[in-house]
Amino acid sequence: MPRCRAHARRPGFSLLELLIVMVIIGIVVMMAAPSISGGLRQTHAQQASATIAQDLERGLAMAARTHRPVVVEVNTDSMVYHLVDRVTGDVYATQHLAPGRSEFGLTSMTATPTSVHLLPNGTVGASFRMVIQAGGSRTEIELTRAGLIRVEGL
């Protein structure tokens, strides 16, 4: 093989070209990060509200199936709620919503009232409202006295 061919340009990219592409990709990722994290917080709030709505439905179904009232007990300080049989005291479900205790990573939770009775006939002792927040994304879950559940983003 002649010497002049040994120094000929080989196909591929130089180190400098690869570094430039890596810097551009890094800049694009840094620009997109805030919108991605905001979208993740919104998704967490939506998933948490769907879980709460499903658990309220489950509580209503359990009350109808057992012919006994089910109580939803909410502790907003520790961000946890329980579905409890009012007669026997059996806990049907416990859901943790606090950061580090669940995948939802909620930042705040309020409930009015903090305890509500789900009756066997499908109605509720008092209307119930829970507002959850994950970052800047807030969602309201409302349970009417007629047993209807409404989820709304705020």
Side-chain angles (χ1 to χ4, degrees):
M1 173 182 267
R3 275 188 167 243
C4 61
R5 285 203 168 250
H7 294 293
R9 183 172 169 102
R10 295 183 185 155
F13 298 104
S14 70
L15 182 59
L16 181 61
E17 291 169 330
L18 290 174
L19 287 175
I20 290 172
V21 169
M22 294 295 283
V23 167
I24 292 171
I25 289 173
I27 291 170
V28 169
V29 167
M30 289 175 58
M31 290 173 54
S35 64
I36 291 171
S37 66
L40 285 175
R41 283 192 294 271
Q42 183 178 7
T43 301
H44 288 160
Q46 289 171 346
Q47 289 174 340
S49 61
T51 299
I52 294 166
Q54 288 173 351
D55 283 343
L56 291 173
E57 281 287 337
R58 183 169 35 160
L60 287 166
M62 191 65 75
R65 188 169 50 243
T66 61
H67 303 290
R68 292 189 303 262
V70 172
V71 181
V72 179
E73 298 173 345
V74 181
N75 184 334
T76 56
D77 294 332
S78 60
M79 292 186 177
V80 64
Y81 64 87
H82 307 280
L83 297 178
V84 181
D85 187 314
R86 189 176 82 179
V87 176
T88 64
D90 294 338
V91 177
Y92 294 130
T94 298
Q95 187 63 254
H96 296 275
L97 301 171
R101 302 261 342 218
S102 75
E103 69 274 9
F104 302 120
L106 298 184
T107 53
S108 71
M109 179 173 95
T110 60
T112 308
T114 57
S115 178
V116 66
H117 296 274
L118 311 177
L119 304 174
N121 64 359
T123 62
V124 179
S127 60
F128 175 74
R129 181 176 179 259
M130 184 184 286
V131 177
I132 59 172
Q133 183 168 347
S137 182
R138 292 180 48 175
T139 305
E140 176 186 68
I141 301 97
E142 183 179 7
L143 177 62
T144 67
R145 290 190 59 140
L148 301 174
I149 299 170
R150 182 179 61 86
V151 178
E152 179 181 342
L154 301 176

